[in-house]
Amino acid sequence: MKLFDEIPTQRPLTPLLDTLDAPAGLRRMTLAQLRQVADELRAYLLYSVGVSGGHFGAGLGVVELTVALHRALQTPHDRLVWDVGHQAYPHKILTGRRDALTGIRQYGGLAAFPRREESPYDTFGVGHSSTSISAALGMALSARAKGEKRRACAVIGDGALTAGMAFEALAHAGHVKANLLVVLNDNEMSISENVGGMASYLTRILTSKPYAAVRENGKRVLSHLPGALELARRTEEHVKGMISPATLFEEMGFHYIGPIDGHDLAALNQALEALRDQEGPQFLHVRTRKGRGFRPAEADPIGFHAITKLERKPPAPPRVDAERPKPRSEDIVRPKPRSEDALRPKPRKYCNVFGDWLCDMAAVDTRLIGITPAMREGSDLIRFSQTYPERYYDVAIAEQHAVTLAAGMACEAMKPVVAIYSTFLQRGYDQLVHDVAVQHLDVTFAIDRAGLVGEDGPTHHGALDLSFLRCVPGLVILAPADEAECRAMLTTAYHHPGPAAVRYPRGTGPGSELPQDLEAQVPIGRAQTRREGERVALLAFGSLNTPAAEVAERLGATHLNMRSVKPLDRDAIVAAAQTHELLVTLEENVIAGGAGSGVNELLAAEGLTPAVLNLGIPDAFVEHGKPAELLRDCGLDAAGIEAAIRARLNLNDN
C-alpha cells in the first residue's frame, strides 16, 4: 500500500484507474492490478478532496473494501447501500463520476452523499446514519417477492451500529431469513470516538488474548483427537459463544465471518466470494483504519474527518542562480498598514456562541447537563466535555434516546440542554412530543444548522423545524437575528420553566458584539422594531433579518425583528396589519406551516384581512450549493425579497 504524507496539489497519474468507467472492469483484473487500482484510487481521492473539500477520512479507510465489493457484487444489479455516505467518495470514483468528484458539494456539482438521481449505482439516498440495513433489507425482500436473483448488501460502520434502528433491522432480517449481506466496517470511529456498550464490546473482544487463541489454535488442537470432528464443532461454538463478537449477530440469525483485515484485498476477495451466493443473512466483519494511507489522517482521524479545499498558490518563479541587481528603494513594495476592518475580530460562528454560553451557564448552575447525539465537534461541545466531563453525555447516534434521556433528567429537577442539528431532530420528534412536551418538562433544545446549510444538500438542510415544532403545544421557539441575540435567547430558553428551543443557522452571523455576562434575556413573545416606515412591514424571523434591513432601507419599509416564533407578538402583528398596506413575512424555513403561516393564523383569528406575502423556502427539497447561492435561488436574498415585494405592489424599478 502506498502511503502519503501530503495531499497532492497536481492531479496524480492514475493510468489503471483511468480505464475504469464502471466497476465491471474490476472483475477482469488480477490481484496485483486491483492493488494498483487501490493505490491510484487513494491518490486521486486525496487530490480531488484537496480541490473541493469534503469528507475523506472515512473514504480513505474503505478504499480496498470498495474495490472488493464492486468486484464481488454485480453492481448495480446487486444493490449496494452505504450507511450515511461519508465513506462513499471511492464508490463515486469507481462508478463513472471520477472527473466530476472535484466539484462535489459545490453548486451544481455532485451531492455530498449517495443519491438515487445521480447514479444507478446509488441505490438508496442517505445522509443520516443507521438506515442502510433497513433499506437493504427492503430491497432483499422485494427481490424475493419478485423472484429476482440479486444480492443486497449494506455497509455500516461501528459508529452507526450504536443506533437502535440498526439492531431493529438486524433482528428483522434474521427473522425473515432474507438474502442480505451486512458488512460491518469496524474502525472504532464515527466522527468523534465511538461511545457506548457495543463499541466497547467490539474493541474489548477483538483485542483479547482468549479470542485470538481460539481463532488460531482451537480447531487445530481439537482436530488431532480421534473422532473429534463433532466435538470440535460443538466446542468451538461453545467457546465462541462465550468470547466472540459473533455471538450477538449469530443469535440474531446471521452467519458471521470475521473479523478480517479490511485493507487486505486478497482476504476481502476470498471472504466476499464465499459469502456472495450463500442463502440467508450473512455478516462480514472487517477491521479498517479511518484515514488509511494518509499519515496525518491516521494520526488525527477526528480532525481529518473532513477538510476544506486547499488554497492553490501560484507556482514559485524559477530559481535564478546569477546575482540579481539590488532593487532601488522606490521599487520596493512595502506592506500597507492593516485597515480597521482587518484588525477587528472575525465574527463568531453560532455554534461557538452556543459552546461558550454552555460553559458559562454550567459554571453558575450545577444542574446543567449537556447532551449530544454524537455531535460534539459540530455543536462545539469540546470545551464543555473537557471542563465538565461528569455533566456531559454523548449518547452516540441515538437522537431518540438523547431526547428521552433529557426528559428523565428533567423529572429529577436537572436542567438538560440537548445540542442537536435541525435535520437530526427530525429523528427524535416523537420523543420530543411524547416524552418532553406532553409532560411539559424543562428541556432546552439548542437547534444548530437551521435553514439552508450549504454543500451537504437536502438531507442536511434544516428547512422543516419551524413547521414541525410550531404545532407542538407548550413549546417556546426563538430565532435570533445575530450572535448577541443567540446568546441572550439561550439564557431565556434555559430559564423558561418548560420546553424551549433556540434555532440558529450554520456559520457566522452579521458580527454583533457579544456580551460576556449571562444577564441579557429576550422577552418571550415580544418583537423588536428596527425601523419604522410606510406601506410595507417586513416581519423577519431569525437569519433573514439581515437582508430585511437592507430591503427596508431601499423601500422605506417598517422592519420588525420578530424574535419569537412561538408565541408570536400579537400586538405588534395587529398594529402592523392596521397601519400598512402589505405585510411580508420572512423565514429560512419552508413556507408551509412555518412562521409566516403562524402570522396568517393569528390575523384570521383576529378578523383582520390585510395583504400578506409569505416568503420562505419553497415547497421543494433544495439542492446543495453555497448558502448564498441557495438563498438567491429561493428568492431570499435582498434582491429577491425586494423583487417579490415590488411585483406584489406593482412598483417599477425607480
Side-chain angles (χ1 to χ4, degrees):
M1 177 188 295
K2 186 176 180 180
L3 300 178
F4 295 84
D5 293 300
E6 296 181 349
I7 295 176
T9 57
Q10 301 295 323
R11 191 194 189 286
L13 295 175
T14 55
L16 199 53
L17 180 65
D18 293 345
T19 67
L20 292 171
D21 293 323
L26 295 169
R27 297 159 204 154
R28 298 186 292 269
M29 290 185 175
T30 66
L31 182 59
Q33 289 175 316
L34 292 174
R35 287 170 175 155
Q36 181 181 337
V37 166
D39 284 342
E40 293 179 7
L41 180 55
R42 186 169 274 111
Y44 186 80
L45 175 61
L46 286 167
Y47 161 74
S48 64
V49 178
V51 172
S52 63
H55 304 102
F56 85 138
L60 288 171
V62 297
V63 166
E64 288 80 12
L65 178 59
T66 306
V67 170
L69 283 167
H70 277 295
R71 180 183 180 276
L73 300 174
Q74 298 292 317
T75 55
H77 175 75
D78 287 337
R79 309 307 196 207
L80 179 58
V81 183
W82 297 92
D83 210 277
V84 183
H86 289 151
Q87 74 278 46
Y89 288 23
H91 160 80
K92 294 199 177 200
I93 294 171
L94 291 175
T95 53
R97 290 165 280 182
R98 178 182 61 249
D99 295 335
L101 198 72
T102 54
I104 196 168
R105 302 172 74 247
Q106 298 174 25
Y107 186 71
L110 294 180
F113 307 98
R115 183 177 181 185
R116 286 169 53 84
E117 296 85 353
E118 191 173 283
S119 170
Y121 292 93
D122 292 0
T123 59
F124 192 74
V126 293
H128 291 188
S129 87
S130 314
T131 63
S132 62
I133 303 176
S134 297
L137 176 58
M139 295 173 187
L141 294 176
S142 298
R144 185 165 75 182
K146 294 186 290 183
E148 296 175 346
K149 181 71 173 178
R150 73 170 85 242
R151 172 65 68 179
C153 174
V155 184
I156 187 167
D158 54 323
L161 202 63
T162 64
M165 181 178 179
F167 283 91
E168 293 172 2
L170 286 171
H172 188 205
H175 176 70
V176 298
K177 301 187 182 338
N179 289 335
L180 174 68
L181 171 61
V182 175
V183 178
L184 172 60
N185 173 31
D186 181 4
N187 62 14
E188 301 181 14
M189 294 289 296
S190 48
I191 296 176
S192 306
E193 300 93 342
N194 278 331
V195 175
M198 174 51 58
S200 300
Y201 172 72
L202 291 174
T203 301
R204 185 173 65 252
I205 292 299
L206 294 176
T207 57
S208 68
K209 291 181 179 179
Y211 177 72
V214 168
R215 292 276 304 172
E216 298 298 325
N217 303 320
K219 281 187 177 180
R220 178 168 52 83
V221 172
L222 290 171
S223 64
H224 288 289
L225 297 176
L229 291 178
E230 178 61 19
L231 175 62
R233 185 191 67 78
R234 293 170 59 187
T235 302
E236 180 189 14
E237 291 300 316
H238 177 71
V239 176
K240 186 169 64 173
M242 292 189 294
I243 67 171
S244 167
T247 305
L248 174 64
F249 305 113
E250 292 193 347
E251 288 297 324
M252 298 179 83
F254 279 78
H255 171 221
Y256 172 94
I257 290 181
I260 66 171
D261 183 353
H263 302 294
D264 185 338
L265 270 168
L268 286 169
N269 287 338
Q270 182 180 6
L272 287 169
E273 287 176 1
L275 291 171
R276 180 179 53 206
D277 299 321
Q278 292 192 28
E279 295 293 313
Q282 311 295 320
F283 196 99
L284 176 61
H285 185 173
V286 301
R287 298 295 305 279
T288 64
R289 186 164 184 176
K290 195 171 183 180
R292 180 66 168 165
F294 183 53
R295 289 189 178 96
E298 290 189 35
D300 182 13
I302 295 176
F304 282 91
H305 169 70
I307 62 169
T308 56
K309 66 181 180 179
L310 302 179
E311 295 296 330
R312 303 287 174 179
K313 296 181 180 180
R319 179 178 176 180
V320 178
D321 293 330
E323 185 176 351
R324 298 180 180 180
K326 294 181 179 180
R328 298 173 299 171
S329 60
E330 60 268 25
D331 293 332
I332 298 175
V333 179
R334 305 186 188 281
K336 296 180 180 180
R338 296 178 69 186
S339 66
E340 290 186 8
D341 288 341
L343 292 173
R344 290 195 185 100
K346 292 183 179 180
R348 297 279 284 163
K349 293 181 179 180
Y350 279 100
C351 65
N352 302 143
V353 173
F354 166 72
D356 290 343
W357 170 85
L358 191 68
C359 290
D360 293 345
M361 185 61 75
V364 299
D365 191 344
T366 58
R367 299 173 298 163
L368 185 149
I369 302 292
I371 301 172
T372 180
M375 287 289 111
R376 179 183 65 182
E377 282 75 23
S379 296
D380 196 19
L381 286 162
I382 299 173
R383 183 162 69 94
F384 180 83
S385 69
Q386 295 168 345
T387 308
Y388 303 101
E390 73 286 354
R391 295 157 63 184
Y392 167 73
Y393 292 91
D394 182 340
V395 301
I397 303 171
E399 290 84 2
Q400 301 95 324
H401 174 60
V403 175
T404 304
L405 176 69
M409 291 176 173
C411 288
E412 300 299 324
M414 299 303 288
K415 296 278 288 182
V417 178
V418 180
I420 192 168
Y421 290 7
S422 170
T423 185
F424 298 141
L425 181 58
Q426 294 164 189
R427 305 179 72 164
Y429 185 58
D430 179 66
Q431 289 72 22
L432 183 150
V433 174
H434 186 273
D435 300 332
V436 175
V438 169
Q439 302 182 86
H440 197 69
L441 293 173
D442 190 357
V443 178
T444 300
F445 293 90
I447 305 175
D448 197 353
R449 269 64 166 181
L452 300 174
V453 300
E455 292 87 343
D456 280 344
T459 61
H460 281 58
H461 292 320
L464 309 176
D465 58 84
L466 291 185
S467 300
F468 70 69
L469 291 176
R470 200 174 63 79
C471 63
V472 178
L475 177 65
V476 168
I477 311 168
L478 305 175
D482 54 41
E483 302 92 328
E485 269 198 351
C486 185
R487 183 176 171 93
M489 286 181 178
L490 286 165
T491 299
T492 303
Y494 185 79
H495 289 307
H496 174 69
V502 180
R503 61 104 65 172
Y504 47 89
R506 180 183 186 184
T508 60
S512 62
E513 185 176 353
L514 286 167
Q516 298 303 308
D517 57 44
L518 293 166
E519 300 302 318
Q521 294 193 48
V522 173
I524 295 174
R526 293 287 298 278
Q528 175 194 49
T529 301
R530 292 198 165 186
R531 189 186 190 282
E532 292 186 353
E534 300 177 348
R535 292 196 69 184
V536 178
L538 303 179
L539 281 60
F541 295 86
S543 58
L544 291 192
N545 274 281
T546 298
E550 186 177 342
V551 174
E553 286 294 329
R554 290 179 186 173
L555 298 181
T558 293
H559 173 199
L560 296 178
N561 169 20
M562 296 305 295
R563 300 195 293 198
S564 181
V565 179
K566 186 175 183 178
L568 290 166
D569 187 338
R570 175 197 171 278
D571 293 343
I573 294 171
V574 169
Q578 293 172 338
T579 55
H580 293 79
E581 180 180 339
L582 175 67
L583 302 188
V584 181
T585 65
L586 301 169
E587 61 189 302
E588 200 170 336
N589 186 84
V590 293
I591 296 172
S597 294
V599 172
N600 300 344
E601 293 161 9
L602 187 150
L603 291 170
E606 295 291 334
L608 299 172
T609 57
V612 180
L613 175 60
N614 299 131
L615 297 180
I617 297 172
D619 188 21
F621 289 107
V622 179
E623 297 300 326
H624 57 281
K626 294 187 181 302
E629 297 168 332
L630 304 181
L631 288 168
R632 177 202 65 204
D633 287 358
C634 292
L636 295 178
D637 61 351
I641 294 169
E642 182 178 355
I645 295 172
R646 287 183 177 278
R648 174 57 67 90
L649 295 176
N650 294 316
L651 296 175
N652 58 29
D653 294 334
N654 297 325

